[in-house]
Amino acid sequence: MGEPRVDRIAQLTTRPAGRPIAYDPAAAPPSLHVRAAQVLEGNWTGRSTVPSRGLYPHQWSWDSAFIAIGLRHLSPLRAQTELETLLAAQWADGRVPHIVFNPSVPLDAYFPSPDFWRSSTAGRAAGAPRTVQTSGIVQPPVHALAAWLVHLADPGLSRARGFLTRAYPRLAAWHDYLLHRRDLGGGGLVSVVHPWEQGMDNSPCWDRPLSRVTPAPAGSFRRADLDHGAPEDRPTDLDYGRYVRLAADYRDRGYADGPGDFAVEDPAFNALLAASEYALAHIADELGVTGSARRTRAERLTSALVERLWEPAAGMFLCRDVHEGELIPERGVSGLVPLLLPALPRDLAATLVRTACGPHFGLGGTTRLVPSYDLLGEAFDPHRYWRGPAWFNTNWLLERGLRLHGERGRADALRRGMLHTAGASGFAEYVDPYTAQACGVTGFGWTAALTLDLLHDRPARGRNGLTAIKGEDRG
């Protein structure tokens, strides 16, 4: 009948060699560690972790990267397996799809379902896998950073299994796909061709370019998300119709990349690619391949970010509408994420900190966690998906960025706020930035995983923290 659940949780909170994993009891109640482990155990499917059992019953790309970062503290083997399962669904052109579908899940449990994407047929020319069904779009490239951190959790196990040896060519092909196929603006940055690719699906930053898209007819699809979430927390039917139209048009073009109706250069997507290039340089060094070219690419991406997306008047990075050739005048949390980069000019980093702590985002003042969108923006909504609520993955990235650029006090305060909010909200998908009221679903995968990472990765950051990006640690 299998192991009792309590024994499985006990196993997950012990390293393979039997050494207990320490956490910081001063930062949060000890039960927070066990509760987070229980969420990840409950969402585990045998080869990967779903974000949530109801609303998101498949494997999501950047979710799995963040989940692996937390899982490494419980079971480095499971964290490696998480990433390996995702990378096994990679397309021949290098793209890592944003969803890997579980064939045991009914088609009507999630939309768009495998029969919408038709990856094995519509994606044949792009090299979609034949044996697994996936979506055809991508998500932010956090995977190399996750792979390096997972390796550092147990280098002996990683080397014995050949984890990095097998992952490196897939990660390199993934980055090459983005840099060579998705530079639609010609300025050295990657463009996303669908709001779902950027990960912050419903951000007001997409409203202007989305306004050019004719929505799919309301009766042509059924939204499964409303079975699990309150309508006032989810995207509107109009926005969802536009998402469906964009995805269907991309599918009907055989998933061929080019400037369709929507093409946006996003600061967070490109900053995460640069951070993962630094991590890929570490992986190359570990494998005896020089990582200098990767570090150069990371620095070039940082320079391109500053050149194309920095807006001094806003005090932050903005998205660029590739079709119009103009910056989109909306402040989203995406524009703060480049704080994660070590080569960011010092004056820009200081300006980003001021913006994060100012009236538009309220860090350390009016908000408990950094909101996903401008508190003063006309479209701000504290509960609606990515239009104002605070998310744990973006705050985790900002906590790292603050610490990297010497803002230890602010980073410590944000860390404490995240740990308290995660436990109090039941590991919510996202929360009201003012009250920390839970929104979306609870028991959310990356919220639990990143809580574990904050509990384990002590504020001094040591060898498992920011040095994984800065280039000071060779494992």
Side-chain angles (χ1 to χ4, degrees):
M1 298 296 292
E3 302 162 297
R5 182 175 178 80
V6 66
D7 292 340
R8 292 290 300 127
I9 299 301
Q11 289 177 6
L12 282 175
T13 54
T14 306
R15 287 199 184 277
R19 290 181 287 109
I21 296 178
Y23 58 90
D24 183 358
S31 62
L32 186 61
H33 176 273
V34 174
R35 290 169 58 201
Q38 288 172 333
V39 169
L40 296 181
E41 172 69 3
N43 291 359
W44 176 250
T45 67
R47 296 290 299 175
S48 64
T49 309
V50 298
S52 76
R53 282 290 181 179
L55 183 55
Y56 306 105
H58 301 286
Q59 183 179 26
W60 261 258
S61 172
W62 77 325
D63 290 75
S64 276
F66 288 120
I67 286 167
I69 288 170
L71 271 178
R72 68 191 171 116
H73 301 294
L74 303 179
S75 169
L77 176 59
R78 183 174 288 190
Q80 292 175 31
T81 302
E82 182 83 35
L83 295 173
E84 289 166 344
T85 302
L86 178 68
L87 292 174
Q90 185 174 27
W91 291 27
D93 65 2
R95 82 182 74 193
V96 175
H98 99 294
I99 302 175
V100 180
F101 290 106
N102 182 342
S104 68
V105 174
L107 288 178
D108 62 358
Y110 181 81
F111 179 85
S113 52
D115 57 340
F116 172 89
W117 295 103
R118 293 178 241 153
S119 60
S120 60
T121 54
R124 185 174 300 161
R130 300 289 184 89
T131 58
V132 63
Q133 293 295 312
T134 75
S135 66
I137 60 175
V138 303
Q139 276 190 324
V142 198
H143 312 90
L145 174 59
W148 180 240
L149 292 174
V150 166
H151 165 79
L152 291 178
D154 193 334
L157 175 68
S158 174
R159 290 167 185 148
R161 295 188 68 247
F163 170 62
L164 293 182
T165 301
R166 288 178 283 108
Y168 180 77
R170 290 185 176 273
L171 293 169
W174 167 220
H175 288 199
D176 288 346
Y177 164 78
L178 292 172
L179 290 166
H180 297 157
R181 303 284 190 93
R182 289 298 193 88
D183 184 6
L184 303 182
L189 293 181
V190 173
S191 293
V192 295
V193 299
H194 196 291
W196 290 340
E197 291 200 314
Q198 196 272 350
M200 304 176 194
D201 307 4
N202 198 38
S203 171
C205 298
W206 319 137
D207 289 355
R208 178 178 291 190
L210 272 178
S211 67
R212 296 190 296 264
V213 179
T214 302
S220 65
F221 61 92
R222 178 188 174 276
R223 296 179 58 177
D225 63 316
L226 297 181
D227 295 340
H228 304 279
E232 59 270 20
D233 288 356
R234 305 295 300 171
T236 65
D237 286 341
L238 176 61
D239 285 334
Y240 216 91
R242 287 173 168 147
Y243 303 153
V244 172
R245 171 73 70 182
L246 276 176
D249 288 350
Y250 190 43
R251 175 200 65 202
D252 294 344
R253 295 197 306 270
Y255 297 110
D257 291 311
D261 291 333
F262 183 97
V264 173
E265 293 173 352
D266 172 74
F269 194 103
N270 283 278
L272 290 170
L273 178 57
S276 276
E277 279 288 332
Y278 282 117
L280 207 54
H282 283 297
I283 295 172
D285 290 340
E286 163 71 20
L287 297 176
V289 181
T290 179
S292 59
R294 296 289 172 187
R295 293 185 180 90
T296 299
R297 288 171 82 168
E299 291 163 3
R300 286 176 181 166
L301 277 165
T302 303
S303 297
L305 267 169
V306 173
E307 180 180 346
R308 291 183 64 80
L309 304 186
W310 178 253
E311 176 50 70
M316 63 186 300
F317 293 89
L318 301 180
C319 297
R320 178 178 291 275
D321 185 341
V322 173
H323 282 274
E324 301 295 331
E326 297 177 350
L327 295 176
I328 299 170
E330 298 284 1
R331 293 177 172 90
V333 70
S334 172
L336 301 176
V337 172
L339 192 64
L340 184 71
L341 298 176
L344 193 68
R346 184 172 300 177
D347 59 329
L348 268 61
T351 301
L352 283 178
V353 173
R354 288 195 296 272
T355 300
C357 297
H360 294 286
F361 293 94
L363 176 62
T366 58
T367 61
R368 300 198 182 186
L369 301 181
V370 178
S372 52
Y373 176 66
D374 184 358
L375 298 170
L376 306 181
E378 292 184 7
F380 174 78
D381 184 328
H383 290 171
R384 193 176 290 277
Y385 202 64
W386 289 109
R387 300 181 81 83
W391 291 71
F392 287 83
N393 65 330
T394 53
N395 277 269
W396 180 86
L397 293 166
L398 293 176
E399 192 267 353
R400 294 172 70 90
L402 288 167
R403 206 171 297 283
L404 173 65
H405 290 283
E407 296 287 343
R408 180 174 178 176
R410 289 189 170 100
D412 287 347
L414 181 56
R415 176 179 180 268
R416 290 192 297 270
M418 291 176 68
L419 290 172
H420 174 78
T421 301
S425 70
F427 305 99
E429 183 181 3
Y430 47 102
V431 298
D432 182 309
Y434 291 121
T435 67
Q437 174 188 343
C439 301
V441 299
T442 55
F444 196 68
W446 76 32
T447 304
L450 297 178
T451 296
L452 285 169
D453 191 63
L454 291 173
L455 286 170
H456 287 270
D457 201 7
R458 305 291 288 274
R461 278 302 187 227
R463 65 192 302 269
N464 283 353
L466 289 166
T467 52
I469 292 178
K470 289 176 70 177
E472 298 168 6
D473 191 337
R474 294 294 181 270

